[in-house]
Every structure is written in C-alpha cells, then in structure tokens.
C-alpha cells in the first residue's frame, strides 16, 4: 500500500494590509487589502472577493524574487518582470516591465509566457490550490490551524477559472465591450481602475491605429452611465474599497458633452466610493484628442479642478509633421497638433490637479521631419524642464522588440524637457 503524500505546509495571512498608496519602488509594492497564501514553493494573493489576483513561484526556478504574475479584472495574466532593471525605469517610468499574452507594441523584454514555470503557474494555479486543499496540514502555529483558514481555501477554490472568466465577461457586458487600450497614465495606479464607458468610438479613424473600432463617436446617456455605475458597484462587491481610480472610456471621453463628463466623474467617485478607498487619493483617467482639447473651454478644466482627485487626460498627437500625419493616415493638420501641444502645456501650468499627457508614434520608416518637429515642441519650445505633461512614445509595430527603436527613444529622452517614457499598450 502506498503511503500518503506528505502534507503541503501553508501559511495564510487573511486581510493583509498592503500599501495605502501607489509608490514607485524598485521592489514590488502591493496596495490595498488582500489575502496571502504561501507554501514552500508558491505565493498566491487573493482580493476581498476571494479571487486570485497574483501568484509567483519561490526559489531558483523563478526568474527573480521581485517578479510576479498578476491577473487583471479583464482576466488577463500579466507577467511583471524586472527587465534586468537597467533602463526599465527610465524607459517606462516604472520599475517593472509588463509582459502580456496578447500582441502589443513593447520594444523591450522577452517572452516569459513561453517559460515552463510561468505558463504552468498561470494555467494551473487552480489545480495547485486544489492539491493544497487535499493535502492541507496547516502548521500548528496559532494563526494557521483554524477552520476559518480551511474555509478560506474552499472559498478561493470556488472562484474557479470558469467563474473568473464569466465575471470578466459580465464586466465587458456592463461597459459595452472589452477595452482595447488603457491610457498610459494608468501606470500610476498599476492599471487598477474601474472602467466606465461614457462615449464610444473616436473622431478620426486613423489608418495606422490598431486599437480603434468602427463606431462613430457617440455619447451615452446619463441614465446609462448611472446604471453602469450601479452594476459596477455590485460586480466589484467586497473588493470595491481596493480601488481609488476611474477610467472614462472609450477613445475620446474629452469629446463628450462637458456636463456629461463632469457628471460622470462626480457620480463615479460618489457611487463607487472612491474617496473611501483603502488606497489614498483618487484619480480619473481618460483619452482626449486634438479636436476635443482645442474645443474644450477653460471653464471645463476649472470645473474638473473643483472635483476630488487628480485627472489625467492622454492625447494621441502622433506627430507634428504633416507628411508623417498623412503617411500614417491621421486626418488632422500639423498646426492643430502644435496648438494642442501648447494648450496642454498651458493647462498643466494652470491646474494643479489636471495633467495632460501626449503620445507620439515611433517607427523605423517615418518621414524625416517627424522627430525634428517633435523636438521643436518638447525641447525647443520650453525654457526649463517640467515635472508634468509626460510625453509617451508609442511604437507602431507590434511584437517586435527593437534595439534601434530603443536607441532612438533614449536619444530623444535625454534632450526632452518633459518627462518622456514609452507607451506599452495594455488592454483591460
Ligand atoms: S488613434 Fe485615436 S483617433 Fe485615431 S483611430 Fe485610434 S483611437 Fe481613433
């Protein structure tokens, strides 16, 4: 007769208090309140709905002790690598490099999901938890041998991959579909935000863009927005207090009727109780465009400034060179791009709680005027370095890490008088 397998020893810390603010540190900082289950070989984190949110392997088989797998509310696994540290912070503004299972425009990093230990953990975490439950033998220390701990394991196993997939689908149903791209500024909250769709589509339908849809720009009604908020509150449920930020979708929320925009921010903060979050401060993230920024009166920013929290508006400027704009099929005038850039600088100077950031494209095959026109804006038009108004460079090609692009980026970053980083496209 076979002897039973030795029990897997676990420790469990329920409702562990993580950091109460998002801070950029060279080691992982986990925010909010979560539970941690730790075995000899693995660490698992769960949110307040008992859903898995992070996992990593311990020991030498794992890339680095600071590297983690994170599961998003869109039910994607993202591998946070250190990228070897050198240059990652300068390039991304963060001490980690996110790696995805879907195509994106990152010019850094490798393919961690091809590694057996990463693939095994992201694919088999549920089986591992079941194995632990079967063989469980909590240590005899007072904090780890109670029925409460056994119940916890049963509860987290109930949140199976199928259930988590359904919850992500429910989220997409509430907001009207999956979000193909989040603003780069969402990195300030580690992309932990609650999405609320206030309008759909965009103005320009640029030829180069891989994240657009075919919808004409359309606003949603207040009733629809309020209904989404009520449903989101129910969906996020016990884990709602771990969120302090809102994302107003879709591709150009700044183009929405300004009263609707203000209502969405105000109502979002109130209904989702973002000011009572376990994580200090609250933020609203949205996209704008050249047209929506130039059409927005100063009063809108004055009113946004009166609302709680910070507002980050990310503009897709792409290029200030007409030949490049024509080349990529963005139907706007270079002079309007220049005007929008200067307007964004003025708003950043005037309103302490509003930051307008901008994206420019990078590619190996762009007209010669592209980079010189950008430098006229981000270097020559500014006398001093500025702390606000980040410029993001977004590589056009997907799934092609490139030393040449990185070299180009570093050359621009050195002379830029604005914070300058890469835009790694991330969906929700
Ligand atoms: S870049 Fe922006 S405006 Fe152009 S198609 Fe994409 S989402 Fe629309």
């Amino acid at each position: 007769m076979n002897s039973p397998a030795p029990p897997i020893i676990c420790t469990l810390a329920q409702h562990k208090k993580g950091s109460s603010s998002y801070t950029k540190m060279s080691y992982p900082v986990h925010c909010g309140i979560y539970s941690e289950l730790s075995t000899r070989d693995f660490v698992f984190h769960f949110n307040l709905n008992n859903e898995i949110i992070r996992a990593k392997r311990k020991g030498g088989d794992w890339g680095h002790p600071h590297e983690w797998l994170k599961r998003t509310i869109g039910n994607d696994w993202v591998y946070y690598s250190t990228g070897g540290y050198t240059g990652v912070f300068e390039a991304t503004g963060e001490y980690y490099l996110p790696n995805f299972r879907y195509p994106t425009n990152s010019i850094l990093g490798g393919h961690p999901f091809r590694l057996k230990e990463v693939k095994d953990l992201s694919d088999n975490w549920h089986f591992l938890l079941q194995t632990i439950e079967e063989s469980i033998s909590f240590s005899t220390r007072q904090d780890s041998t109670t029925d409460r701990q056994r119940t916890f394991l049963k509860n987290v196993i109930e949140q199976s991959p199928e259930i988590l997939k359904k919850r992500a689908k429910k989220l997409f149903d509430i907001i009207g579909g999956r979000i193909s791209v989040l603003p780069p500024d969402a990195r300030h909250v580690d992309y932990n935000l609650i999405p609320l769709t206030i309008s759909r589509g965009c103005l320009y339908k640029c030829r180069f863009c891989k994240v657009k849809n075919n919808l004409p720009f359309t606003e949603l009604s207040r009733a629809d927005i309020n209904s989404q908020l009520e449903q989101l509150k129910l969906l996020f449920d016990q884990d709602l207090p771990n969120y302090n930020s809102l994302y107003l979708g879709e591709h150009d929320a700044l183009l929405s009727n300004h009263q609707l925009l203000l209502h969405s921010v105000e109502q979002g903060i109130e209904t989702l109780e973002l000011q009572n979050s376990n994580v200090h401060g609250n933020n609203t993230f949205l996209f704008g465009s050249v047209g929506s920024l130039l059409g927005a009166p100063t009063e809108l920013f004055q009113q946004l400034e009166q609302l709680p929290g910070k507002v980050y508006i990310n503009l897709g400027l792409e290029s200030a060179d007409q030949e490049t704009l024509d080349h990529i099929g963005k139907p706007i005038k270079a002079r309007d791009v220049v005007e929008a850039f200067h307007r964004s600088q003025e708003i950043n100077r005037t309103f302490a709680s509003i930051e307008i950031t901008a994206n420019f494209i990078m590619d190996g095959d762009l007209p010669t005027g592209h980079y010189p026109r950008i430098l006229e804006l981000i270097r020559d038009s500014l006398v001093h370095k500025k702390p606000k108004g980040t410029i993001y460079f977004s590589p056009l090609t997907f799934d092609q890490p490139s030393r040449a692009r990185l070299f180009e980026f570093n050359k621009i970053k050195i002379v830029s008088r604005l914070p300058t980083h890469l835009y790694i496209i991330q969906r929700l």
Side-chain angles (χ1 to χ4, degrees):
M1 199 172 113
N2 290 339
S3 54
I8 297 171
I9 308 296
C10 300
T11 54
L12 172 64
Q14 256 184 298
H15 292 188
K16 192 172 169 170
K17 212 163 180 289
S19 172
S20 57
S21 62
Y22 287 100
T23 42
K24 300 182 195 302
M25 306 298 279
S26 60
Y27 52 86
V29 176
H30 304 306
C31 282
I33 294 177
Y34 58 91
S35 298
E36 180 175 282
L37 181 75
S38 183
T39 71
R40 189 194 62 183
D41 297 326
F42 299 99
V43 185
F44 302 95
H45 285 180
F46 305 88
N47 67 16
L48 298 175
N49 292 330
N50 296 321
E51 298 159 339
I52 192 163
I53 49 168
R54 283 182 290 270
K56 73 169 182 175
R57 205 184 161 98
K58 294 178 179 173
D61 287 344
W62 195 247
H64 187 282
H66 291 175
E67 300 194 344
W68 280 85
L69 276 163
K70 173 187 170 182
R71 194 186 63 86
T72 70
I73 51 166
N75 203 32
D76 283 321
W77 282 102
V78 181
Y79 186 82
Y80 280 52
S81 80
T82 61
Y85 282 140
T86 324
V88 167
F89 181 76
E90 286 74 16
T92 66
E94 304 299 321
Y95 284 98
Y96 61 84
L97 185 63
N99 297 268
F100 311 101
R101 275 182 142 168
Y102 50 87
T104 185
N105 65 344
S106 183
I107 55 174
L108 297 164
H111 299 283
F113 283 99
R114 289 185 193 162
L115 299 174
K116 185 176 178 309
E117 60 276 14
V118 175
K119 191 171 176 319
D120 276 357
L121 186 52
S122 50
D123 287 348
N124 299 325
W125 61 269
H126 192 248
F127 174 74
L128 285 167
L129 291 179
Q130 287 171 314
T131 310
I132 295 166
E133 191 201 26
E134 279 163 19
S135 73
I136 199 160
S137 171
F138 287 105
S139 81
T140 51
R141 280 169 38 198
Q142 190 197 348
D143 65 342
S144 53
T145 54
T146 62
D147 285 346
R148 184 175 55 82
Q149 291 165 327
R150 287 170 191 275
T151 306
F152 174 82
L153 205 52
K154 184 171 162 292
N155 288 342
V156 295
I157 287 170
E158 268 173 21
Q159 302 304 316
S160 66
E162 294 71 33
I163 300 261
L164 297 178
K165 194 172 167 190
K166 275 189 192 152
R167 282 177 67 82
K169 182 176 179 308
K170 172 83 180 156
L171 173 71
F172 304 145
D173 288 347
I174 293 171
I175 60 173
R178 168 151 238 165
I179 291 165
S180 60
V181 60
L182 286 168
D185 308 309
R187 67 190 173 87
H188 296 309
V189 296
D190 196 13
Y191 297 85
N192 293 325
L193 33 74
I194 301 182
L196 170 70
T197 304
I198 72 165
S199 59
R200 298 193 204 288
C202 65
L203 273 180
Y204 302 127
K205 308 297 178 209
C206 315
R207 195 172 59 236
F208 80 94
C209 177
K210 294 191 175 74
V211 296
K212 63 177 177 283
N213 55 39
N214 290 325
L215 301 171
F217 180 82
T218 338
E219 281 170 17
L220 273 68
S221 67
R222 272 188 190 221
D224 195 347
I225 290 165
N226 294 348
S227 160
Q228 278 184 63
L229 286 170
E230 292 301 335
Q231 294 177 73
L232 287 166
K233 185 174 179 172
L234 291 175
L235 185 78
F236 280 77
D237 198 17
Q238 301 294 312
D239 201 43
L240 189 64
N242 277 331
Y243 288 81
N244 72 348
S245 297
L246 191 64
Y247 162 64
L248 302 183
E250 201 179 29
H251 295 307
D252 195 352
L254 186 62
L255 189 63
S256 311
N257 172 296
H258 296 151
Q259 291 313 314
L260 187 80
L261 172 57
L262 291 162
H263 168 81
S264 303
V265 179
E266 204 168 6
Q267 198 62 44
I269 291 170
E270 191 183 318
T271 307
L272 302 171
E273 300 170 35
L274 298 180
Q275 288 185 285
N276 298 333
S277 170
N278 297 326
V279 190
H280 296 154
N282 64 271
N283 309 281
T284 302
F285 299 95
L286 63 147
F287 285 113
S289 64
V290 168
S292 61
L293 183 72
L294 293 180
T298 300
E299 295 76 61
L300 171 66
F301 301 102
Q302 287 168 340
Q303 287 175 285
L304 280 172
E305 175 97 324
Q306 299 305 312
L307 297 178
K310 289 188 178 166
V311 178
Y312 292 88
I313 305 171
N314 179 251
L315 306 177
L317 298 185
E318 324 309 355
S319 182
D321 173 53
Q322 192 61 54
E323 195 185 344
T324 306
L325 290 168
D326 296 342
H327 173 77
I328 62 172
K330 183 144 188 133
I332 56 174
K333 295 286 170 226
R335 64 171 178 274
D336 291 337
V337 172
V338 172
E339 192 184 338
F341 173 83
H342 291 304
R343 178 78 174 124
S344 71
Q345 292 301 306
E346 187 189 348
I347 292 164
N348 286 340
R349 274 195 306 275
T350 312
F351 300 100
S353 67
I354 301 174
E355 178 164 359
I356 305 206
T357 66
N359 310 328
F360 289 104
I361 55 161
M362 296 187 82
D363 201 28
D365 186 25
L366 294 174
T368 52
H370 177 60
Y371 293 118
R373 295 295 87 72
I374 293 175
L375 289 178
E376 284 170 14
L377 298 179
I378 68 174
R379 179 188 61 190
D380 307 343
S381 78
L382 302 162
V383 181
H384 302 293
K385 285 205 163 210
K386 308 266 178 185
K388 269 173 88 182
T390 300
I391 299 298
Y392 292 98
F393 279 87
S394 181
L396 282 187
T397 45
F398 275 44
D399 277 348
Q400 283 187 27
S402 165
R403 278 174 183 268
R405 290 297 79 69
L406 197 57
F407 184 67
E408 255 163 35
F409 166 77
N410 283 330
K411 277 203 312 193
I412 296 169
K413 182 181 171 73
I414 286 167
V415 297
S416 172
R417 295 201 162 115
L418 292 167
T420 300
H421 296 296
L422 287 174
Y423 183 177
I424 301 176
I425 287 181
Q426 180 162 173
R427 73 181 184 185
L428 189 64

